[in-house]
Amino acid sequence: MMGQPRGWRPTRVQALWMIGLGASCYGLISPVMKTAFAQGYTMEGVTAAQYFVALLFWAVAGLAVRTGNRPKGREVIQLFILGLIGSGGTTVLYYRSLIHLPASLAIVLLFQFTWITILLEVVLERKPLTARRWQALLMILLGTGLAVGLLHDQWEGGISWVAAAMALGGAVTYSILLYGTGRIAVQTSPVRRSLFMSLGSGVPILLTTPLTAYYTAPSMAGLYGWGVLVALLAQITPPLLFAVAIPAVGGGAAAVLGSMELPVAVVAAALILKEPVGWDRWLGVALILAGVIWSERVNRRGRESPGT
């Protein structure tokens, strides 16, 4: 087991639940953002508002929480870069790809983070590539395709390959986030880690947000109301849960549990947005959940071995 900051340490089961909860928060972002768009708010405006809310939260929390180790100079730089590439990069690349790609295709491309994260562990740490882990990943990827409606989406008008590359880039940056969170400054207070990562994530967000996103919003109070909600779902709850839990289980397990985002998004779309959800999408949700359970069942029994 990897290093953990002093104080309370989650058990493996607790850590897995925390990662699943953090991923589920990400799954609620799409319907929340679509609701905000329906009220006249822009993607850029809500994204910028959520960043300022999150930064204020982590700044106050960093001053209030005095327990735990402080990051060293090199660790501060590493956390800043991890936030810039992993969190900020994913936000900008994936949200921008949604402008030019069907949502179903964009999320399929983003979900390639499941195998990319595990590949990072295999290449960088020489961890054995087990057949059973890949069985779980194949179930998740197949379930992803069904859950986003690939069987009935036609993608009329062609596909922007630049946007597709951006979505795949988002998968790579999200993989870096999951991998790095389990390895950088793990002895440091999760609150302080999240603060420096939040500072880094703001660089690409602010650089790609036009000033018009602020003064053209229907209501500044409404804009920051949505900003608070999205910040809780995207930049406050998941980073804190991941910072505590991922060092206990590793990036590979986090990638598998991260796939919980999609089932939650499908259910939320059905309940909140009243979108029709056919049998293929529910089958996809079931396959994703089965893949998550199968992967963790194998890990818990400790019976994984290369080629089995």
Side-chain angles (χ1 to χ4, degrees), residues 73-121:
R74 182 179 179 182
E75 292 175 333
V76 170
I77 297 174
Q78 291 175 333
L79 290 170
F80 183 90
I81 294 175
L82 180 62
L84 187 152
I85 297 174
S87 181
T90 303
T91 298
V92 171
L93 289 171
Y94 180 59
Y95 285 4
R96 294 287 172 181
S97 74
L98 284 172
I99 299 175
H100 304 287
L101 289 180
S104 57
L105 177 57
I107 200 166
V108 166
L109 295 174
L110 177 68
F111 260 68
Q112 304 311 302
F113 77 81
T114 50
W115 64 266
I116 294 175
T117 308
I118 291 177
L119 184 62
L120 286 175
E121 287 192 338

Side-chain angles (χ1 to χ4, degrees), residues 60-257:
V60 173
L63 293 174
V65 176
R66 300 184 179 278
T67 59
N69 297 332
R70 295 178 179 274
K72 300 176 182 178
R74 182 179 179 182
E75 292 175 333
V76 170
I77 297 174
Q78 291 175 333
L79 290 170
F80 183 90
I81 294 175
L82 180 62
L84 187 152
I85 297 174
S87 181
T90 303
T91 298
V92 171
L93 289 171
Y94 180 59
Y95 285 4
R96 294 287 172 181
S97 74
L98 284 172
I99 299 175
H100 304 287
L101 289 180
S104 57
L105 177 57
I107 200 166
V108 166
L109 295 174
L110 177 68
F111 260 68
Q112 304 311 302
F113 77 81
T114 50
W115 64 266
I116 294 175
T117 308
I118 291 177
L119 184 62
L120 286 175
E121 287 192 338
V122 171
V123 173
L124 298 179
E125 300 182 14
R126 301 184 183 277
K127 286 191 174 183
L129 183 61
T130 64
R132 292 190 177 188
R133 171 61 66 80
W134 279 111
Q135 290 170 4
L137 287 177
L138 287 174
M139 294 170 67
I140 290 171
L141 292 175
L142 177 59
T144 300
L146 292 172
V148 298
L150 290 187
L151 292 183
H152 51 73
D153 275 339
Q154 300 298 314
W155 303 333
E156 296 180 357
I159 296 173
S160 168
W161 294 108
V162 173
M166 294 176 69
L168 281 174
V172 174
T173 55
Y174 190 52
S175 299
I176 293 172
L177 176 65
L178 293 177
Y179 182 84
T181 299
R183 289 158 181 80
I184 296 176
V186 295
Q187 299 293 336
T188 302
S189 161
V191 171
R192 293 192 176 96
R193 294 176 71 195
S194 299
L195 170 60
F196 291 111
M197 288 175 63
S198 181
L199 287 170
S201 69
V203 175
I205 292 175
L206 295 180
L207 288 178
T208 57
T209 303
L211 293 177
T212 55
Y214 302 100
Y215 59 77
T216 58
S219 164
M220 292 304 295
L223 177 63
Y224 278 92
W226 287 112
V228 168
L229 182 55
V230 177
L232 286 171
L233 294 175
Q235 290 189 289
I236 294 177
T237 305
L240 182 59
L241 293 175
F242 288 174
V244 174
I246 291 180
V249 298
V256 173
L257 266 294

